[in-house]
C-alpha cells in the first residue's frame, strides 16, 4: 500500500551511472591499489572528542587514506575510487536512570547501536539494521563491558551509538563477487568502533579500568607469496588479492588484557615466511595486539587534549 502523503522512491533502489575508462586489459577494472606501508606500519588516525555538545560524550575517528587513494583523488583517472577510508562518529548518552518498567539491575546497563549511513558503503544500506550491523553491536558491547566499572552506577543505563560515515571495503571493486570474503572490511570497522567508543566514554567521564583500543592483523597471500602468507597490520582488503585469515582484538595495555577477540579464517595450518615458533593464529593475535598498542597511543593523546580543553574552558 502506497503512502499518498509523500512520493515513494523505487522499491529496489537505483544506482547512478558511472563512466570509467577501460583498462588496457579490457576488463574495465583499472589498477589495484598497492600497499605503500611496511607490514608493521599503521595508518595515521585522526581522533577528536567533544564534537557533539548535546551528548554526554562524543568522538570522531578517521583513518588516513592510502597513498593510492590520495593520488586518485588528486589526479583522478576514473570516477570510481580504488579503495575507501574509515570515517565514523560516536555518541554516548548517560548514565541515566532506567525506566520504571525495567527490572532492577545492580550494575550499569550497556546498550550499543552500530549503524551504517546509507552512503557509507558501495552497496547502499537500508534504514533498518541488518545482521552485520547487529553483529558489530554485539562485538562492541562485549569489548566495552570488560573495561567499564559497571557496579558504580546501579539502576542506570548508558547508550552508545556509532554512525559509520564511510566504511572499509571488503574487497577491491574490480574483483568478482566470489574472489573475496564479504566481511573482511568489518574487522577494520569494528576496531575503529572500539577505539572511538572508548574515547567517547572517556569524554563522558565514565570510570573505566583502562582505555580500550582496537587493532587488526591479517595473513595475506598475494602473487609474490602464494604459498607462505605474510603477516600485516592494519590491512586494507582492497590492496590484497587474497586474505587467508584476519583477527581483531580489543586491548587494554595498562592491564595487558584482551576484552574481545574475533578471529576469522583458517590459520592453523599456515606456515609463515619467518618461522619463529608461533602458529598462525598466535602470530595473528600478537600482531593485532601490536596494532592496538599503536591505536592506544593516539587514543590516549586525544583524551589528554580533550581534558586540557575542558580544564581551560572551566
Amino acid at each position: 500500500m502506497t503512502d499518498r502523503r509523500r512520493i515513494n522512491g523505487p522499491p529496489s533502489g537505483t544506482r547512478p551511472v558511472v563512466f570509467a575508462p577501460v583498462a588496457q586489459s579490457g576488463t574495465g577494472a583499472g589498477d589495484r591499489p598497492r600497499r605503500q606501508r611496511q607490514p608493521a606500519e599503521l595508518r595515521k588516525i585522526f581522533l577528536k572528542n567533544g564534537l557533539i555538545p548535546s551528548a554526554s560524550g562524543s568522538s570522531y575517528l578517521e583513518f588516513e587514506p592510502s597513498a593510492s587513494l590520495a593520488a586518485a583523488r588528486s589526479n583522478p583517472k576514473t570516477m570510481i575510487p580504488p579503495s575507501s577510508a574509515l570515517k565514523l562518529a560516536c555518541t554516548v548518552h548517560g548514565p541515566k536512570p532506567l525506566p520504571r518498567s525495567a527490572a532492577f539491575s545492580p550494575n550499569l546497563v550497556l546498550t550499543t547501536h552500530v549503524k551504517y549511513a546509507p552512503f557509507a558503503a558501495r552497496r547502499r544500506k537500508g534504514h533498518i539494521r541488518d545482521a552485520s550491523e547487529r553483529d558489530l553491536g554485539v562485538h562492541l558491547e562485549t569489548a566495552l563491558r570488560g573495561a567499564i566499572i559497571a557496579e558504580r552506577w546501579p539502576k542506570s543505563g548508558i547508550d552508545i551509538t556509532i554512525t559509520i560515515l564511510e566504511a572499509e571495503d571488503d574487497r577491491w571493486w574490480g574483483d568478482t563477487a566470489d574472489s573475496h570474503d564479504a566481511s573482511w572490511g568489518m574487522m577494520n570497522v569494528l576496531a575503529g568502533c572500539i577505539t572511538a567508543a572508548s574515547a567517547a566514554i572517556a569524554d563522558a567521564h565514565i570510570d573505566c579500568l583502562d582505555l580500550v583500543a582496537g587493532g587488526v592483523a591479517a595473513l595475506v597471500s598475494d602473487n609474490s607469496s602464494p604459498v607462505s602468507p605474510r603477516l600485516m597490520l592494519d590491512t586494507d582488503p582492497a590492496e590484497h588479492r587474497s586474505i587467508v585469515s584476519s583477527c581483531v582484538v580489543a586491548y587494554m595495555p595498562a592491564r595487558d588484557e584482551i576484552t574481545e577477540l574475533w578471529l576469522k579464517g583458517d590459520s592453523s595450518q599456515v606456515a609463515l615466511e619467518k618461522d619463529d615458533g608461533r602458529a598462525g593464529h598466535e602470530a595473528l593475535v600478537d600482531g593485532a595486539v601490536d596494532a592496538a598498542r599503536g591505536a592506544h597511543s593516539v587514543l590516549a593523546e586525544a583524551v589528554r587534549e580533550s581534558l586540557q580543553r575542558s580544564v581551560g574552558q572551566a
Side-chain angles (χ1 to χ4, degrees), residues 13-311:
T14 59
R15 293 185 178 181
V17 180
V18 176
F19 299 92
V22 180
Q24 296 180 359
S25 59
T27 59
D31 297 329
R32 179 189 299 274
R34 296 182 179 180
R35 182 184 175 106
Q36 306 294 332
R37 298 173 285 122
Q38 297 297 325
E41 184 180 355
L42 306 180
R43 288 174 290 182
K44 295 182 180 179
I45 302 175
F46 175 81
L47 181 60
K48 189 173 182 180
N49 293 349
L51 298 181
I52 303 177
S54 60
S56 303
S58 61
S59 65
Y60 173 78
L61 181 140
E62 180 177 342
F63 280 5
E64 181 189 33
S66 60
S68 58
L69 178 56
R73 289 177 175 175
S74 61
N75 186 17
K77 296 181 180 180
T78 174
M79 296 183 64
I80 304 178
S83 61
S84 62
L86 182 64
K87 299 180 181 68
L88 55 89
C90 177
T91 58
V92 174
H93 296 275
K96 54 187 178 180
L98 293 177
R100 293 179 177 271
S101 58
F104 172 78
S105 175
N107 298 324
L108 181 69
V109 178
L110 176 63
T111 304
T112 57
H113 186 97
V114 179
K115 186 71 182 72
Y116 285 83
F119 50 84
R122 297 189 188 272
R123 177 172 296 180
R124 190 174 180 86
K125 293 285 186 176
H127 295 284
I128 302 177
R129 289 198 304 167
D130 56 10
S132 62
E133 294 168 334
R134 290 192 293 268
D135 289 343
L136 287 174
V138 172
H139 285 291
L140 179 62
E141 180 181 353
T142 306
L144 300 177
R145 190 177 297 276
I148 298 177
I149 306 177
E151 59 269 14
R152 294 190 179 180
W153 290 276
K155 301 184 294 183
S156 302
I158 179 176
D159 296 332
I160 299 177
T161 303
I162 292 184
T163 302
I164 302 172
L165 304 176
E166 185 175 355
E168 289 276 342
D169 289 333
D170 295 325
R171 60 180 181 271
W172 182 44
W173 68 271
D175 290 334
T176 58
D178 56 349
S179 61
H180 244 305
D181 193 272
S183 61
W184 295 122
M186 288 178 57
M187 315 289 275
N188 295 336
V189 171
L190 177 59
C193 290
I194 294 172
T195 305
S198 181
I201 290 174
D203 187 49
H205 305 288
I206 298 175
D207 295 339
C208 297
L209 298 175
D210 189 14
L211 295 176
V212 187
V216 179
L219 294 175
V220 301
S221 177
D222 295 330
N223 291 339
S224 58
S225 57
V227 179
S228 300
R230 300 181 60 189
L231 177 64
M232 293 189 179
L233 308 185
D234 191 16
T235 55
D236 185 357
E239 297 176 345
H240 306 286
R241 293 186 178 275
S242 176
I243 297 180
V244 180
S245 181
S246 182
C247 176
V248 56
V249 299
Y251 181 68
M252 295 190 298
R255 301 175 62 90
D256 195 19
E257 292 183 4
I258 295 177
T259 59
E260 170 65 11
L261 174 64
W262 183 13
L263 182 63
K264 185 176 180 61
D266 186 10
S267 58
S268 58
Q269 304 298 329
V270 173
L272 301 180
E273 290 182 346
K274 296 181 180 179
D275 187 9
D276 54 358
R278 297 180 301 172
H281 58 275
E282 295 179 355
L284 269 178
V285 175
D286 293 342
V289 169
D290 293 339
R293 287 196 181 100
H296 183 270
S297 61
V298 180
L299 173 60
E301 185 64 25
V303 173
R304 188 180 299 109
E305 292 179 357
S306 176
L307 180 60
Q308 291 176 355
R309 288 195 305 267
S310 61
V311 172

